[in-house]
Amino acid sequence: MTITTGDGTARDAELLRVRNLTVTFPGRRSAPWRRPGKVVAVNGLDLDLAGGETLGLVGESGSGKTTTARAILRLLRPSGGTIEAAGFTVGAFGRRVPLGYRRAVQAVFQDPLGSLDPTKVIGDILAEPLAVHFGLRGTERDRRVAALLEQVGLAGHHLRRYPYELSGGQRQRVSIARALAVEPKLIVLDEPVSALDVSVQSQVVNLLEDVQERTGVAYLFVAHDLAVVRHACDRIAVMYRSRIVEEGPADRICESPAHPYTEALLAAVPDPDPARQRIQRRRRRELGAPAPTGAVPATGCPFASRCPHRMPVCTESFPDWTPVTGGGRVACHLHGGSPTTPEET
Amino acid sequence: MTEALATGTAGAVLAPDRSGARITARLLHSKATLFWAAVVLVVVLCAVLAPLIAPSDPLKGDIRDGLLGPSAHHWLGTDKLGRDVLSRVLYGARTALLSAVEAVGIAAVVGIPLGLLSGYLGGWTDRILMRIVEGVMSVPFLVLAIALISVLGPGLWKSMAVVGVVYAMTLVRLVRGEALAAREELYVDGVRVAGAGSGRIVFRHILPNITPPLIVQITLMIAGAIIAEATLSFLGLGAQAGDASWGSMLSDAQASIRESFFLALPPGFAILLTVLAFNQVGDGIRDLFAREAKAGSMGVNPVLKAAGQGEAPPAGVFVDDPVLSVRDLTVSFPQPGAGRVAVVQGMSLDVGRGEIVGLVGESGSGKSVTAMSLLGLVPDPGRVRAASIRLDGRDLAGLSFDELRKVRGGEIGVVFQEPIASLNPAYTVGDQVAEVLREHAGLSRAQARERVVSLFGQVHIPDPAARLGDYPHQFSGGMAQRVMIAMALASGPRLLVADEPTTALDVTVQGQVLDLLLELREQTGMSILVITHDLGVVADVADRVAVMYAGQLVECGPTEEVFRRPSHPYTEGLLTSLPRNVRRAGRLPSIPGVVPPPSAWAEGCRFAPRCAHARPECSAGPIELAAGGRDRAARCVRSHDLTLTGVRALAGEPSAAPLASVRIEKKP
Ligand SMILES: Nc1ncnc2c1ncn2[C@@H]1O[C@H](COP(=O)(O)OP(=O)(O)OP(=O)(O)O)[C@@H](O)[C@H]1O
Ligand SMILES: Nc1ncnc2c1ncn2[C@@H]1O[C@H](COP(=O)(O)OP(=O)(O)OP(=O)(O)O)[C@@H](O)[C@H]1O
Ligand code: SF4
Ligand code: SF4
Ligand SMILES: [Mg+2]
Ligand SMILES: [Mg+2]
């Protein structure tokens, strides 16, 4: 299978292949004697990612992004579907995940402070994967730790600091360095810059790009801000309430979205130009109905309750995938039959 | 209640660190705990040095010297068999502590690993272990001990081993609970992904993180074990007749209670003092950890009035009809290794009537501390000084805590970043908002309820009457922030201070909350000070913007003008590094480096180390905020000769056309 990337080139080397991934959690009991209901956090999700590529996964809070990331990292066990990554079939793992998989697939989490053990200094945090995977110790390990620090732009004096003694951006660099320690093929980044200052956000995005250029690592970049994702990713998949509703090259998604939800997400990104933002705000008010609560409707389009383009068919059946001109595909009843054209109608 | 909430959040946001060193420092400050720790030390010394300091052999005595009163020769007298009581008390400390160490040692060696495994592995291991623990703990402790001892035969070491096993069950429960909670922490996922196996995660990562509660529990257990030893020895199940143990001394004293009443006092007092000391130390440590978790925000400091009027700020800072007017605000905190350092320095700011002002800057630039100062909520070691803080002409500087409390929550409303964390999880949201109304407006229960419903309606919470009875965790982040805003609006404030009101929310919800703020300003005419690090938020809602860097105001003016043509390189840096929805060319622009810690702020321009336009003259001396036109001000020596990049204006007239809209093609 080939994948069309942002610059239009096709790549064959498939690194991550997710098919029909479904994750359910036990929900709240409606009454103490009832069985708990089910929360479908991820529903029939497909993803493909090639080596050296960056795929963005965006969507509002609760859409299932983190759950998808955790399933790929095998931090939770999905209730259905298959995940193949870096030559491993994740579903076949038992309780103990093979070290080889941990080497190939690494992660950086949203909360830079929470994801580092507060009782360990930076030097120990970075040394741990080297000890676990390569059995390194002594001067050889110290040398590697120093090289990692340098790779992410930190200095030697940070080695003896505790995580709470660093700034948010520095902590996120430590997380990235820890992920890089084992030379992975894929890094799952769950909201890697959401907790950082804007000025530091772009430093971290630039750093991720430098690392990718040097090592050819691929990223799955989870975020809720489309503007950041556009700059960091080749392709974007948009999630809404447990499903992917649109995917395609980053620039195409952000310039001519095909799904009404993608459009609403774009309208929510504030622009620093006050004149432009006034238009944007009007747009946001037109599109930004509050998210519904409760279970996702069993039939029809999950976005139907908020969609300004809703049609009768929308509540009857879930829309099929339709290819979009300019790359990617969309699941919306507005589109269908032949590929859509870039002009507005 | 609002008070406590507000302070708690303030502390949490500002917590600079929480290291072991700080705990030790606090420990040294807590005099009571220190005293009891000294008592413990004395008991331990007595136990260790008993053979050296005891005046005579505790086990030998001449029956002819029996039951002597205190004298120079026998300070505490002798018992029936003529043994020296003081020596027996000293050796008794030895017995008590050794027994305690044995029992607690067994409890720790058995209980901690089992608890960790049970909590971390969960599933069947956990279920079986917990059934056993519950079984053991359902039998009263003394009954169990007596039953086991009747099987094993009496003897101090055997009985204390039994005590140890019972204590182990308590530890299993405690450690399991802690491990269960720690298992969900993100750092555990972090090391799991790094490839660490279960053993490594449990013993190298979870265990060090749960040591604080363990230390507390173990200290309290030592006290318990000392009582257990005394009880068992008193009953004759522990130390054997004749052995020096406080328990058997009491039992001896009972036997000769008719002849001498005094004999019971020394062992009784020894037990009381030792147990009390261990309990007090345990409670003290628990207190310290608890306070540490709240970042030590035990009190707040009012705003002191600075001498004189301070220097008048340049024209660009004034507005004609200010609701809030801050002059020369300085806040200092003790910084590690640097003494007291000003983290906000010479801040002056006006907020006009009905105006929305955006206060922006990177993390650590002093935005929150500035906001806290207006409310008199700067946490304890902080010192606040201002020439004046005028709210509608009334000076808040120099007011007492109680006077300030009427202002805050009355004339000034506050909204914080973490909406759910800022609400008390134990009360319904309706009660929490009503509480504010009843306190500040003196409404009755029914009136307050009615008003809360209308407030909830005003902030667009769907079905307000039904949601009054819900608890905070039943709200999404966006809805919880609406509740916070409703609470801030409750008393009809003239100024709303919103510290990062949308930072914890996702972009779609952020848009709705910002729209709400704009709408409320429209309806009520109140002024809003919005603190944020997102320039997009400022562009969206703020009429004027104030940019802070390293504790100083560096630029100030109408949002549109400042963003189009910034006069300070820092503003330029913030603007250009903001990701926008435009096609990207090359690397993302960013400001190199980070905000230095307050102790390293330079004498000259504080931005110089990160500024692309820096010249030697920039670092020569302090740089003043200077007016640049009628309503703008900047703190940069080169602001007049630099042409800085702002946001690009739209090509052509802004039209009503959507920026990026869906391309619709109907199905054929
Ligand atoms: N452990 C869990 N138990 C029960 N429900 C869960 C659990 N984890 C997630 N969920 C539910 O699954 C859904 C998806 O959550 P997820 O964390 O994946 O969303 P997200 O897209 O990452 O959102 P955010 O932007 O807030 O991080 C939510 O409705 C959430 O309440
Ligand atoms: N309780 C405190 N004790 C010691 N220093 C403090 C305390 N509170 C704040 N500070 C210091 O004051 C400076 C300014 O902090 P402040 O929280 O106001 O920044 P901010 O601009 O609000 O940043 P953020 O965007 O992270 O909220 C920081 O350098 C911080 O270390
Ligand atoms: S399928 Fe219908 S409801 Fe769903 S997004 Fe498309 S038009 Fe809107
Ligand atoms: S004073 Fe100098 S260093 Fe400071 S911002 Fe202006 S140009 Fe840059
Ligand atoms: Mg998430
Ligand atoms: Mg702050």
Side-chain angles (χ1 to χ4, degrees):
Chain A
M1 146 141 201
T2 53
I3 296 152
T4 316
T5 56
D7 48 18
T9 57
R11 290 211 183 103
D12 286 309
E14 192 163 275
L15 184 62
L16 172 70
R17 184 185 151 95
V18 179
R19 286 291 172 275
N20 203 22
L21 177 71
T22 302
V23 183
T24 55
F25 292 110
R28 226 182 273 158
R29 287 163 198 269
S30 53
W33 58 89
R34 295 256 171 79
R35 296 179 124 257
K38 270 199 298 187
V39 176
V40 182
V42 177
N43 192 351
L45 178 128
D46 295 350
L47 280 181
D48 289 287
L49 182 58
E53 192 195 16
T54 304
L55 171 67
L57 189 60
V58 293
E60 64 194 16
S61 186
S63 52
K65 310 181 294 294
T66 298
T67 307
T68 306
R70 288 172 56 86
I72 293 170
L73 291 166
R74 194 54 169 186
L75 292 173
L76 58 80
R77 207 179 272 267
S79 28
T82 57
I83 300 172
E84 285 158 31
F88 291 85
T89 304
V90 177
F93 295 164
R95 180 167 193 121
R96 172 106 205 172
V97 175
L99 269 186
Y101 188 69
R102 289 290 180 227
R103 256 192 82 175
V105 181
Q106 277 293 311
V108 172
F109 297 100
Q110 167 171 12
D111 176 2
L113 184 56
S115 56
L116 301 174
D117 184 343
T119 61
K120 302 280 180 295
V121 294
I122 306 308
D124 291 342
I125 290 173
L126 293 182
E128 176 151 32
L130 296 174
V132 170
H133 290 274
F134 309 121
L136 287 183
R137 48 198 80 253
T139 45
E140 172 61 12
R141 186 169 74 184
D142 294 347
R143 207 182 49 72
R144 288 281 285 277
V145 168
L148 280 172
L149 270 191
E150 199 193 311
Q151 218 179 347
V152 297
L154 292 175
H157 65 87
H158 290 118
L159 281 177
R160 279 190 309 279
R161 301 275 187 85
Y162 285 94
Y164 61 80
E165 294 175 305
L166 303 183
S167 71
Q170 289 171 332
R171 285 179 207 137
Q172 210 56 303
R173 285 166 193 266
V174 172
S175 290
I176 294 171
R178 175 172 64 181
L180 290 176
V182 295
E183 294 157 9
K185 298 201 178 78
L186 167 67
I187 304 184
V188 176
L189 307 152
D190 189 4
E191 314 243 12
V193 298
S194 305
L196 306 179
D197 273 324
V198 276
S199 53
V200 183
Q201 274 185 8
S202 26
Q203 287 176 10
V204 171
V205 169
N206 285 336
L207 169 67
L208 288 171
E209 270 168 18
D210 291 345
V211 167
Q212 188 168 55
E213 214 155 276
R214 239 188 352 252
T215 66
V217 64
Y219 298 126
L220 177 65
F221 192 109
V222 174
H224 63 247
D225 184 344
L226 259 174
V228 177
V229 171
R230 173 174 193 182
H231 294 303
C233 301
D234 306 312
R235 283 189 307 129
I236 296 177
V238 181
M239 258 186 114
Y240 182 71
R241 302 196 85 190
S242 81
R243 288 176 186 268
I244 289 184
V245 294
E246 177 169 10
E247 63 186 339
D251 284 333
R252 201 280 289 157
I253 295 263
C254 293
E255 276 162 20
S256 45
H259 197 283
Y261 176 62
T262 314
E263 184 189 25
L265 261 188
L266 280 167
V269 177
D271 193 284
D273 182 347
R276 221 171 129 109
Q277 179 54 26
R278 273 195 291 275
I279 306 167
Q280 185 86 335
R281 189 194 303 154
R282 209 172 308 140
R283 215 53 215 126
R284 177 176 85 201
R285 285 187 184 158
E286 282 165 26
L287 300 171
T293 49
V296 189
T299 54
C301 170
F303 193 58
S305 62
R306 292 163 75 174
C307 182
H309 308 283
R310 185 183 51 230
M311 301 167 285
V313 60
C314 297
T315 49
E316 286 155 18
S317 66
F318 186 79
D320 288 330
W321 284 113
T322 309
V324 180
T325 316
R329 54 185 190 162
V330 63
C332 167
H333 286 299
L334 289 174
H335 308 272
S338 56
T340 53
T341 50
E343 289 83 36
E344 274 183 35
T345 51
Chain B
M1 184 183 61
T2 338
E3 208 68 80
L5 294 173
T7 338
T9 323
V13 172
L14 304 172
D17 65 23
R18 49 186 161 100
S19 62
R22 280 221 341 202
I23 299 232
T24 322
R26 281 252 167 75
L27 187 65
L28 296 179
H29 275 181
S30 153
K31 292 213 181 66
T33 309
L34 218 53
F35 169 77
W36 290 110
V39 174
V40 166
L41 191 69
V42 169
V43 174
V44 171
L45 282 177
C46 288
V48 173
L49 301 178
L52 298 178
I53 56 175
S56 44
D57 190 323
L59 303 180
K60 291 212 189 84
D62 191 334
I63 198 140
R64 282 163 300 176
D65 294 338
L67 296 176
L68 294 181
S71 66
H73 197 62
H74 298 289
W75 288 5
L76 294 176
T78 58
D79 66 4
K80 203 170 186 174
L81 299 176
R83 296 173 295 198
D84 181 48
V85 171
L86 177 60
S87 305
R88 285 181 71 75
V89 168
L90 291 176
Y91 273 92
R94 215 164 211 232
T95 314
L97 288 187
L98 279 177
S99 321
V101 167
E102 182 195 347
V104 175
I106 291 175
V109 169
V110 176
I112 294 176
L114 283 183
L116 283 172
L117 287 181
S118 185
Y120 181 76
L121 294 179
W124 281 110
T125 327
D126 184 41
R127 250 169 273 170
I128 293 170
L129 269 171
M130 287 326 283
R131 284 302 97 76
I132 296 175
V133 168
E134 278 159 21
V136 173
M137 291 186 68
S138 65
V139 184
F141 159 67
L142 213 54
V143 174
L144 188 75
I146 292 171
L148 281 173
I149 289 162
S150 64
V151 175
L152 296 171
L156 183 60
W157 308 127
K158 283 187 211 157
S159 358
M160 288 322 286
V162 173
V163 173
V165 171
V166 175
Y167 279 178
M169 301 301 128
T170 313
L171 271 190
V172 170
R173 269 240 281 244
L174 173 87
V175 172
R176 169 188 179 263
E178 297 284 339
L180 211 59
R183 193 174 67 163
E184 302 296 319
E185 298 270 348
L186 202 51
Y187 74 82
V188 173
D189 282 348
V191 291
R192 202 175 288 162
V193 169
S198 302
R200 198 183 176 98
I201 293 176
V202 166
F203 291 104
R204 294 229 192 148
H205 294 282
I206 294 184
L207 185 57
N209 274 284
I210 66 175
T211 7
L214 270 181
I215 292 177
V216 174
Q217 187 63 33
I218 283 177
T219 318
L220 298 178
M221 264 185 182
I222 292 177
I226 290 172
I227 295 186
E229 186 271 330
T231 315
L232 290 171
S233 298
F234 180 81
L235 295 174
L237 297 170
Q240 290 311 290
D243 283 355
S245 146
W246 293 338
S248 43
M249 286 176 76
L250 275 180
S251 146
D252 292 347
Q254 198 199 21
S256 46
I257 193 89
R258 280 167 205 246
E259 290 98 332
S260 165
F261 157 78
F262 176 76
L263 269 187
L265 291 186
F269 189 66
I271 294 172
L272 184 73
L273 192 71
T274 311
V275 169
L276 190 64
F278 273 104
N279 275 332
Q280 290 291 331
V281 169
D283 283 348
I285 299 176
R286 190 205 326 257
D287 245 31
L288 292 180
F289 285 130
R291 216 170 270 162
E292 204 55 28
K294 283 199 254 152
S297 61
M298 289 165 291
V300 293
N301 282 337
V303 185
L304 302 176
K305 184 128 179 89
Q309 274 310 301
E311 287 187 21
V317 173
F318 291 113
V319 300
D320 289 337
D321 180 19
V323 164
L324 175 77
S325 163
V326 181
R327 290 293 172 267
D328 210 4
L329 170 74
T330 297
V331 186
S332 62
F333 275 104
Q335 293 285 324
R340 192 165 270 281
V341 174
V343 299
V344 170
Q345 193 233 319
M347 180 78 186
S348 294
L349 181 70
D350 275 5
V351 179
R353 205 165 296 281
E355 188 179 47
I356 300 185
V357 174
L359 186 58
V360 287
E362 283 164 288
S363 183
S365 51
K367 309 180 296 292
S368 296
V369 169
T370 303
M372 300 297 166
S373 310
L374 308 181
L375 305 157
L377 280 180
V378 172
D380 205 7
R383 214 172 282 157
V384 191
R385 223 168 249 289
S388 66
I389 297 179
R390 289 182 185 283
L391 184 69
D392 252 347
R394 176 176 179 217
D395 197 350
L396 305 184
L399 290 192
S400 73
F401 182 81
D402 282 328
E403 288 167 316
L404 267 176
R405 192 174 55 191
K406 290 211 188 73
V407 173
R408 141 176 97 240
E411 290 147 83
I412 304 185
V414 204
V415 176
F416 289 109
Q417 172 172 351
E418 288 286 347
I420 295 180
S422 315
L423 290 165
N424 189 331
Y427 296 93
T428 64
V429 293
D431 284 349
Q432 297 189 49
V433 182
E435 162 108 19
V436 180
L437 283 167
R438 295 178 56 190
E439 182 165 324
H440 285 282
L443 299 187
S444 74
R445 200 172 278 273
Q447 286 170 321
R449 191 194 140 83
E450 206 168 292
R451 179 99 176 81
V452 175
V453 174
S454 85
L455 279 170
F456 277 17
Q458 202 178 359
V459 295
H460 305 301
I461 293 175
D463 198 4
R467 298 224 65 177
L468 287 187
D470 283 352
Y471 288 88
H473 69 90
Q474 290 168 299
F475 284 75
S476 67
M479 281 299 149
Q481 195 58 289
R482 285 169 200 263
V483 173
M484 284 302 289
I485 294 175
M487 196 187 271
L489 290 179
S491 53
R494 271 168 278 182
L495 174 69
L496 180 69
V497 176
D499 191 356
E500 315 253 9
T502 58
T503 307
L505 308 176
D506 76 40
V507 275
T508 20
V509 181
Q510 162 172 294
Q512 291 153 15
V513 170
L514 295 177
D515 276 340
L516 175 65
L517 290 182
L518 284 169
E519 183 190 320
L520 290 172
R521 187 258 302 257
E522 207 74 3
Q523 280 173 8
T524 65
M526 71 178 171
S527 313
I528 305 179
L529 180 64
V530 184
I531 296 170
T532 173
H533 62 254
D534 187 343
L535 296 177
V537 170
V538 176
D540 194 16
V541 299
D543 307 305
R544 278 194 321 127
V545 58
V547 185
M548 273 189 96
Y549 183 75
Q552 294 176 324
L553 188 65
V554 296
E555 176 156 18
C556 173
T559 309
E560 197 147 350
E561 286 179 35
V562 171
F563 281 17
R564 284 268 162 79
R565 229 177 39 76
S567 337
H568 197 285
Y570 180 58
T571 316
E572 177 191 46
L574 286 181
L575 282 168
T576 47
S577 58
L578 187 73
R580 301 173 68 183
N581 186 17
V582 291
R583 210 170 265 264
R584 124 157 212 220
R587 288 170 72 80
L588 288 181
S590 70
I591 308 175
V594 295
V595 187
S599 52
W601 290 346
E603 175 75 358
C605 175
R606 293 177 176 178
F607 187 58
R610 303 174 71 189
C611 179
H613 311 284
R615 292 282 168 79
E617 69 258 33
C618 300
S619 302
I623 294 170
E624 297 301 319
L625 194 64
R630 194 175 46 80
D631 49 7
R632 294 188 58 177
R635 194 187 292 274
C636 171
V637 284
R638 303 194 61 206
S639 63
H640 293 291
D641 54 286
L642 288 173
T643 313
L644 301 173
T645 323
V647 290
R648 246 167 304 137
L650 271 190
E653 251 327 271
S655 70
L659 299 176
S661 64
V662 313
R663 298 165 292 139
I664 300 164
E665 178 156 296
K666 294 276 183 230
K667 269 191 170 164

